[in-house]
Amino acid sequence: MDQKSTAEALRTFITGENFHAQHYLGCHQVKDGYVFRVWAPNAQQVQFIGDKTGWREHPIAMSRNDQGVWELTLSHAQAETGDYYKYLVTRASGQVIEKMDPYAVRFGERPDTAAQIYTIAPKKWQDEAWLAARRQADMFAEPLNIYEVHANSWKRHEDGRLYTFDDLATTLIPYVKSLGFTHIEFMPLMTHPLGMSWGYQLTGYFALEHTYGTPEEFQAFVEAAHLAGLGVIVDWVPGHFSQNDDALAYYDGTPTYEYYDGNRARNVGWQALNFDLSKPQVQSFLISSLKFWIDFYHIDGVRIDAVSNMLYLDYDQGPWTPNWDGSNINHDGIEFFKKLNSVIKLSNPDVIMAAEEASSQTKITGMIEMGGLGFDFKWNMGWMNDVLKFYQMDPLYRGQHFHLLTFSFMYMMDEHFILPFSHDEVVHGKKSLMHKMWGNRDHQFSGLRNLLTYQICHPGKKLLFMGQEFGQFLEWKYNWQLEWAASDELNDKMQQFTTALSHLYQTAPQLFELDHDYAGFEIIDADNTAETVLSFIRKDKSGRQLICVFNMAPIERHDFTIGVPIGGTYTEVLNTEMSEFGGAWQLHNPDQQTQNGQWKHYEQTLSFTLPALGAVIWQRLASESPAPSNQKIAGKRESPKSSPQKRKPKPGASSKLTDEQWAGLASYFPEGRRSKYDKRDLVEAALFIQQTQLPWAKLPNDFPPHGSVYAFYNKSRKDGSWQQAMAALEKIKV
């Protein structure tokens, strides 16, 4: 960085317009050694101490410029890669204290708080195709199903050693991909001094927590996730920071990063300090931190923690100072978020910006020009609290509290919502999701399957915390791994259910294309409190529909009837009580023909058997030809030896390709190194769906899994190879 660039970097840092401040502040290699810079405007003196100085034995004084930045250049003999260092700060009061480098990219292993001189070589990324597809996608009309992870406690080595990102790349990525999720979200990965904080009490905003591995390992993890078709989201905490005296707290002896007003600076509930969001230098620091994680690690999204604490002056437990007019709005927080989102969206419009925010007083999502704060998504905390309260109830009383299930219908389009079942809901005595459910163990798993299906079918994007996908019984423990060894058959079947549900979600546009538009949602019956059955319709942009029905009572309902807007033959695409999922049903409901008849405002009715504590999803067949008699013969419990029959193609329809046909098509679908299934099998499976017009989830078992086929088909259509191959197929004579 030349002198002119350095001067401009300093100027924009002071004015709050430097969004790459880490290129100026912190430690940087120069021609003859290293330069160190730190902002401590009210310090009496700042000295460099480290391995080469014998720490406090031979400190080296730094010089201060007129903007409060202290600077020092050391030769290679005085500092080299791998050395550890700190700043010895003489505070305004005269107190001498060792401080961390706020802009360091690497720290020692806990409890060490020294920064490390660490040079990261530029990476040759291989995820260009992923990033290009991300730029072209409409995040609001795409499936977004997030698997939330705490990196230290998902899984550990047999001897108790923590997994690093090298370990997670070979285990977590294929696991999440197989489950059918679209993104992995990590709880904060930045440096924090105590694992018990889960990462929400940060000290190093540019450094990967040492216990998770090296920056290069996390870069490689993100790249591997992208190559596997998974996005990566990271939690970030710009509202409060650790009050540890060796970190940011009162850095130069005066409020440096925190507010001058003690009521606003102190965070009593979390024993932390709040950032002064009005300070330009703090804005440069925070926005640079987030830009660094997006640019350097190629992450696909950010979830901002505790947004309410940044928006409302009285959010904390302690005393608070109101505005001059007595109001509680933190105008600094409002303006900071507008600035933050404007900066990020200008450079990275395709990166997800999500807010954890629990109030309804301030509009969070949407364009700033339209009154929003610029976020893409907001966690729907109200929905989560109401729904979990409902599902924990004895079914005997659920009818009296049906509003807990349906109240969200009134406001679900007010914001762009994510429906979260996060880490916060499975700790501190709240019990795991499975353990929250009513009844005995079988009932609890039925309830959990019903709950996750309701989440998938309800408008909004999805988030599920690790371990809940297989129904872990115990609460989450931050200092140990999930209950992998304790899993039994019901856990395995629950995991199989979550996988099937997630793949159905990805392959059914009705469940995600119109998440934020009432045109994609229609209530059939939200008033059946006597039977505690809820039914509604989800629609995609083309008008195709899924009928979603939820039985909240442990009573199987035969000949259960609802109204539907379109007549025809309907097929059951999901039944949560199938035996392969841990339920008692051996066979699906048979396909059902609607009947003429008035039901509320509908003129067609659909009747079927509704499983106890179960949820079912129905889809109208595009073809009105009678269903083959051997496809599904009953919707009642059968003997355990029974098994559902496979659906046959329509008469005359054949998706099997001759050798001559495949020879003419093979060049359009070259085999890839990571291809798990034969391309010919994938093409034949996609042709089967085209010819039969069945839902993807109904692909017979003798084809590859429907999720893999849909992903192949969707990718082939996007790059044009499918259309070219089909045109070529038309010309090939058999």
Side-chain angles (χ1 to χ4, degrees):
M1 185 178 288
D2 59 29
Q3 186 173 0
K4 182 178 180 181
S5 299
T6 300
E8 180 63 10
L10 174 60
R11 184 192 69 80
T12 52
F13 169 72
I14 297 301
T15 61
E17 300 168 291
N18 189 336
F19 308 132
H20 301 89
Q22 76 278 5
H23 295 325
Y24 171 64
L25 292 153
C27 170
H28 300 282
Q29 190 168 11
V30 292
K31 182 178 180 181
D32 299 320
Y34 291 90
V35 61
F36 300 83
R37 299 187 186 95
V38 62
W39 178 58
N42 295 307
Q44 293 185 23
Q45 185 182 44
V46 178
Q47 297 169 293
F48 175 91
I49 59 175
D51 288 337
K52 291 288 195 296
T53 71
W55 293 96
R56 289 202 182 194
E57 290 184 13
H58 304 288
I60 303 174
M62 304 177 73
S63 60
R64 181 189 187 281
N65 65 28
D66 60 356
Q67 298 296 334
V69 173
W70 297 79
E71 183 172 328
L72 173 68
T73 300
L74 297 177
S75 68
H76 288 296
Q78 296 171 297
E80 60 183 341
T81 299
D83 284 357
Y84 287 92
Y85 69 95
K86 289 184 179 181
Y87 298 123
L88 190 63
V89 177
T90 303
R91 287 174 156 174
S93 64
Q95 178 192 21
V96 178
I97 188 168
E98 295 180 8
K99 283 289 191 179
M100 301 167 62
D101 183 348
Y103 287 86
V105 297
R106 185 76 170 157
F107 289 94
E109 186 174 1
R110 291 193 301 243
D112 188 6
T113 59
Q116 186 178 31
I117 298 175
Y118 195 90
T119 302
I120 306 172
K123 178 176 174 57
K124 296 181 180 178
W125 288 87
Q126 305 297 318
D127 61 351
E128 296 88 351
W130 168 270
L131 295 179
R134 192 184 77 185
R135 285 190 291 269
Q136 296 172 5
D138 177 0
M139 67 175 72
F140 304 109
E142 294 288 326
L144 180 59
N145 193 12
I146 303 165
Y147 185 76
E148 188 190 24
V149 175
H150 180 252
N152 270 174
S153 58
W154 179 71
K155 187 175 285 189
R156 297 193 175 188
H157 293 285
E158 291 185 2
D159 59 4
R161 286 180 299 115
L162 302 176
Y163 269 29
T164 66
F165 273 106
D166 270 354
D167 299 313
L168 292 172
T170 59
T171 53
L172 178 64
I173 290 174
Y175 177 74
V176 175
K177 183 65 176 178
S178 70
L179 288 175
F181 287 87
T182 64
H183 289 69
I184 302 170
E185 178 175 323
F186 287 104
M187 295 163 69
L189 301 177
M190 300 81 186
T191 296
H192 50 280
L194 186 65
M196 191 181 294
S197 75
W198 313 339
Y200 292 100
Q201 299 272 2
L202 299 180
T203 51
Y205 274 74
F206 294 83
L208 180 75
E209 167 55 43
H210 190 102
T211 56
Y212 298 152
T214 67
E216 293 88 346
E217 287 177 348
F218 185 51
Q219 283 184 320
F221 177 92
V222 174
E223 181 177 72
H226 288 172
L227 294 177
L230 292 171
V232 178
I233 300 171
V234 173
D235 283 11
W236 184 61
V237 191
H240 60 277
F241 56 93
S242 170
Q243 64 181 0
N244 286 12
D245 214 23
D246 58 357
L248 297 178
Y250 297 96
Y251 199 88
D252 61 11
T254 66
T256 310
Y257 290 88
E258 53 278 275
Y259 282 102
Y260 284 96
D261 181 346
N263 287 342
R264 300 185 71 178
R266 288 188 299 272
N267 193 305
V268 177
W270 296 326
Q271 293 295 293
L273 292 168
N274 294 322
F275 280 109
D276 183 349
L277 301 174
S278 69
K279 283 184 183 175
Q281 299 92 335
V282 172
Q283 294 172 9
S284 289
F285 172 78
L286 289 173
I287 297 176
S288 294
S289 166
L290 186 52
K291 281 281 294 172
F292 171 76
W293 284 84
I294 293 171
D295 297 339
F296 186 75
Y297 290 113
H298 284 203
I299 62 174
D300 303 282
V302 180
R303 176 264 197 183
I304 297 185
D305 178 67
V307 169
S308 299
N309 179 62
M310 303 171 69
L311 295 182
Y312 304 107
L313 300 173
D314 58 347
Y315 184 79
D316 191 23
Q317 300 173 6
W320 63 285
T321 303
N323 294 315
W324 65 269
D325 60 357
S327 63
N328 68 338
I329 294 292
N330 183 359
H331 298 291
D332 296 340
I334 296 285
E335 295 308 313
F336 171 76
F337 281 130
K338 290 180 179 179
K339 182 174 183 176
L340 172 72
N341 285 317
S342 295
V343 170
I344 299 302
K345 287 301 177 180
L346 181 63
S347 58
N348 303 95
D350 51 331
V351 167
I352 294 169
M353 294 291 288
E356 183 219 14
E357 207 281 314
S359 76
S360 59
Q361 186 174 345
T362 302
K363 183 167 175 55
I364 303 298
T365 60
M367 297 174 60
I368 295 169
E369 296 80 0
M370 301 298 290
L373 295 185
F375 283 98
D376 299 308
F377 297 105
K378 171 184 174 178
W379 278 23
N380 195 336
M381 310 298 284
W383 174 89
M384 176 273 299
N385 284 312
D386 286 348
V387 167
L388 290 182
K389 185 176 181 180
F390 180 87
Y391 274 85
Q392 291 177 79
M393 283 184 182
D394 188 317
L396 182 64
Y397 305 107
R398 288 178 176 176
Q400 303 170 35
H401 300 278
F402 219 51
H403 64 280
L404 293 173
L405 205 60
T406 61
F407 177 64
S408 60
F409 297 166
M410 304 295 292
Y411 66 84
M412 62 188 178
M413 303 302 170
D414 291 354
E415 302 268 14
H416 296 158
F417 282 119
I418 291 174
L419 309 178
F421 292 135
S422 73
H423 63 276
D424 275 327
E425 312 320 316
V426 295
V427 289
H428 300 324
K430 297 178 184 177
K431 301 187 288 190
S432 68
L433 288 187
M434 177 269 179
H435 196 189
K436 292 178 194 288
M437 300 297 104
W438 166 86
N440 60 34
R441 197 159 188 262
D442 286 328
H443 290 147
Q444 287 177 317
F445 275 102
S446 291
L448 183 57
R449 292 191 298 269
N450 191 311
L451 172 69
L452 296 188
T453 305
Y454 185 56
Q455 180 197 35
I456 286 291
C457 292
H458 190 288
K461 307 308 181 185
K462 327 297 176 186
L463 180 141
L464 185 68
F465 185 58
M466 63 182 195
Q468 313 314 302
E469 75 277 8
F470 61 82
Q472 173 165 310
F473 179 78
L474 294 179
E475 286 188 343
W476 167 56
K477 300 175 182 178
Y478 76 91
N479 56 356
W480 194 240
Q481 65 178 354
L482 300 179
E483 290 187 278
W484 302 108
S487 297
D488 61 12
E489 184 181 7
L490 276 175
N491 294 118
D492 293 341
K493 289 186 174 183
M494 183 67 213
Q495 186 182 71
Q496 183 178 345
F497 169 77
T498 305
T499 301
L501 183 66
S502 297
H503 282 290
L504 171 63
Y505 170 69
Q506 282 204 55
T507 57
Q510 299 94 322
L511 297 176
F512 57 77
E513 274 193 352
L514 294 173
D515 266 330
H516 315 296
D517 189 334
Y518 275 112
F521 181 82
E522 180 179 333
I523 295 172
I524 296 176
D525 190 2
D527 302 313
N528 189 348
T529 58
E531 295 176 298
T532 58
V533 175
L534 173 66
S535 53
F536 56 79
I537 303 170
R538 291 301 309 276
K539 308 173 188 178
D540 64 14
K541 293 178 180 178
S542 67
R544 291 180 301 175
Q545 302 181 356
L546 289 179
I547 310 297
C548 309
V549 188
F550 302 85
N551 186 2
M552 304 302 179
I555 302 170
E556 185 169 281
R557 304 192 183 282
H558 299 279
D559 295 320
F560 185 79
T561 300
I562 57 172
V564 292
I566 304 174
T569 302
Y570 283 76
T571 189
E572 187 181 74
V573 297
L574 181 76
N575 185 323
T576 63
E577 288 304 297
M578 297 303 295
S579 60
E580 61 262 35
F581 301 148
W585 283 45
Q586 298 298 321
L587 298 172
H588 277 275
N589 271 300
D591 288 355
Q592 295 291 334
Q593 179 70 37
T594 59
Q595 302 297 318
N596 294 326
Q598 196 71 29
W599 197 96
K600 291 195 171 182
H601 62 281
Y602 297 109
E603 297 181 354
Q604 299 286 328
T605 62
L606 180 67
S607 299
F608 50 89
T609 299
L610 184 59
L613 292 174
V616 293
I617 300 177
W618 292 84
Q619 183 173 13
R620 179 177 173 271
L621 293 176
S623 170
E624 291 301 320
S625 58
S629 60
N630 62 343
Q631 66 176 52
K632 292 182 294 189
I633 58 176
K636 301 179 181 179
R637 299 186 183 91
E638 302 292 342
S639 68
K641 296 181 181 179
S642 302
S643 60
Q645 299 294 315
K646 296 175 183 175
R647 179 183 294 276
K648 303 289 186 182
K650 293 188 300 183
S654 175
S655 64
K656 296 297 182 182
L657 298 168
T658 65
D659 290 342
E660 180 185 355
Q661 288 174 319
W662 179 243
L665 300 185
S667 61
Y668 297 102
F669 308 106
E671 295 290 342
R673 288 183 298 172
R674 299 188 304 277
S675 179
K676 184 176 180 181
Y677 300 102
D678 183 82
K679 291 297 175 64
R680 183 170 179 173
D681 292 340
L682 293 170
V683 171
E684 289 179 344
L687 283 172
F688 177 88
I689 292 295
Q690 276 197 343
Q691 293 167 356
T692 61
Q693 297 184 319
L694 286 170
W696 288 96
K698 288 299 188 72
L699 189 67
N701 294 333
D702 51 357
F703 287 114
H706 72 272
S708 298
V709 178
Y710 176 78
F712 161 78
Y713 173 74
N714 199 34
K715 181 178 182 298
S716 299
R717 284 188 60 83
K718 284 185 176 180
D719 64 25
S721 56
W722 182 265
Q723 295 89 328
Q724 296 173 33
M726 293 304 100
L729 183 60
E730 290 292 326
K731 300 177 182 178
I732 300 174
K733 295 182 179 180
V734 181

